[in-house]
Every structure is written in C-alpha cells, then in structure tokens.
Amino acid sequence: MRADRVFAYGAAAGLVADLLLGDPHRGHPVAVFGRAAGAVEKALWRDHRGWGALHTAVCVGGAVGLGALARRVVRPSRSASVALTGAATWAVVGGTSLAREARVIGRALEAGDVEGARARLPHLCGRDPQALDADGIARAVVESVAENTSDAVVGALVWGAFGGVPGLLGFRAVNTLDAMVGHKSERYRRYGWASARLDDLAGWPGARLTAVLAAVAGSDPRGAVRVWRADAAKHPSPNAGPVEASFAGALGVRLGGTLSYAGRIEHRPVLNQSGRAVATRDIERAVRLSRRVGVLALGVGVAARALATKKGRTS
C-alpha cells in the first residue's frame, strides 16, 4: 500500500478512536514519555543551554527513532502499517479530551458554579483560577481551545503527513518537552531554551494552517483574516498569536488582556478590540470550531501526502 494511503486510513482511524475513546486514564503514551523525559532531566540537568539541548536531542531523537523502528518492522504488512499509524495518531492527538475539559467548565459556568469552574480550569491551562471571574474563566477556556487545537491536533497531523509515524511521535515529544521545561522559570530559563525554540519551529506550520482553517470554518472568514493580519504579531508567542487572533475574529470576540500565571501578572495585547467580551456560550462555539478545524486539517494532510507521493512517482 502506498504511503499516502497508509497515512490517510491510519490518521482517519486514529481521529475516530480519539473521538470515541478520548485519552486513556492510565498508561497514556504521552505520560510514559513524560516520565522518561523526567528521568533524563534528572540525570542531565545543569543550568546551561548545552545540557538542555542534549536533553532535547535525547528525548526527541528517542521518540523519532522509536517511530522509525516501529514503521520499519510493520512495513511488510499493509494492515499493520495502517494500524500503527492509527495507534500513533490516537496517542498524540488530544481533541476529544480538550473538548471534554472545555465543556465541563462551560457547564459549571452555565450552572453558576464559578468555584467548580475554577477548580477544573488547571486541567486545561496554567492560569491562576482564583484571579478569574466567570467571564475571565470563559476567556481562558476559549484561548486554550484555540491554542491547543494547533498543539494537540493540527500540528500533529501536519507532521504526520510529512513524516508518518516518526513525525507524529516527534512532534508530540517536542510539544511535551516544551510544556515540561520550556517555560520561563529560574530552573528552566537556560536548560529549557532548546526545547522552547524547537517547539516554536515545529509548531510554526501547524499554527498557520490552524489560523487558515479557523477562518475557513468560522462564521466570519473576513473577520478572522482581518484580526489575524492586524493583531497576531502583538501576541508574545509566534504560534499562539495567529491561532488566537484567527479564532477571535472567527468567533467575533475579544481575546488577550491581563492574565496571571503562577502569581505572575502578564498584560497581553487585546486581539480583536472591536469584538465583544467572551461569554460562557462561546466555549461551545469554540469547541465546535476546533472540531471543524481538526477535520479539515486531516483532509489537508491527506491531500498534501497524496500530492507529494504522486509527484515523487512521476519525477
């Protein structure tokens, strides 16, 4: 079976598995990787960029190498190749868990249970929930849904289309390392530098595709493009900026502004200043937009892989 068909059937099966099953409660492959990366960090940590770069190379190289070895083992069998791609896709995407967590918080807010929503918010993002009222929680959820649509779904599919199983596992390894050591703290300011920069590079194509597809799938394509062009560069993250700006325009809401992480206050520029404030009902709208973007991303990935395969055969 051609590589493009293996990816198409496998990635589709993986997304269906994610839709039906979500993430496993125990033994999640990403959690296993996280424990292994933590053990590597324990052995290598020094307050130095070079040691952090070695940590990144060992962990990401190990994930990519494992994917390449597994792909080579199953290559003689078409069904096993599809099954491996499906399993890898299911393991690395997180669209269903993202939607579930967002909806749990949305239902709590609809019921007036702000404390319950605050208690659940850390499952979705790193904001300080006690610093947020109901509207602030809703805004945090919409921003997290937007950003994680790129990180947890589209980016993985982009790299899966480009590199198959090694690409899927490598992207998730990079993204996980950034979450573990890529943030700006005294311990990780230098050690996590390589992981953070690699995550910026790996996330670049998925973030732009997410922004494009949010504009296509949203109710206001022109508004999404307008806000993306006007406001994306104001965001401190080179990848979250286009995604959040496009979602803000597509949903007609304002994102950004003051937020708090671990007691540290950040004043971020507002995205889509002319939009209205985020309301609780916008959580469900953001989840549905995220779902549509994920499906479209699969189609784009399959088409790109088929085109590349056809071009390779005719050249």
Side-chain angles (χ1 to χ4, degrees), residues 220-244:
D220 186 4
R222 289 185 179 180
V225 173
R226 173 182 55 80
V227 178
W228 177 10
R229 293 180 62 185
D231 295 342
K234 300 175 183 177
H235 198 287
S237 168
N239 293 331
V243 173
E244 291 187 20

Side-chain angles (χ1 to χ4, degrees), residues 7 11 15 89 93 153-162 168 171 294 297-298 301:
F7 173 73
L15 287 185
T89 302
V93 300
V153 182
V154 180
L157 293 173
V158 166
W159 284 98
F162 177 76
L168 287 164
F171 176 79
L298 174 63

Side-chain angles (χ1 to χ4, degrees), residues 106-138:
R107 286 194 294 269
L109 291 176
E110 288 171 356
D113 184 10
V114 177
E115 286 303 318
R118 286 192 181 117
R120 198 69 189 183
L121 187 62
H123 292 260
L124 189 65
C125 65
R127 308 278 177 90
D128 287 339
Q130 298 306 318
L132 300 173
D133 59 10
D135 290 343
I137 293 171

Side-chain angles (χ1 to χ4, degrees), residues 39 47 107 109 120 130 135 172 179-180 197 200 232 250 272 308:
D47 190 17
R107 286 194 294 269
L109 291 176
R120 198 69 189 183
Q130 298 306 318
D135 290 343
R172 178 52 60 219
M180 293 177 67
R197 297 290 77 75
D200 287 343
N272 193 21

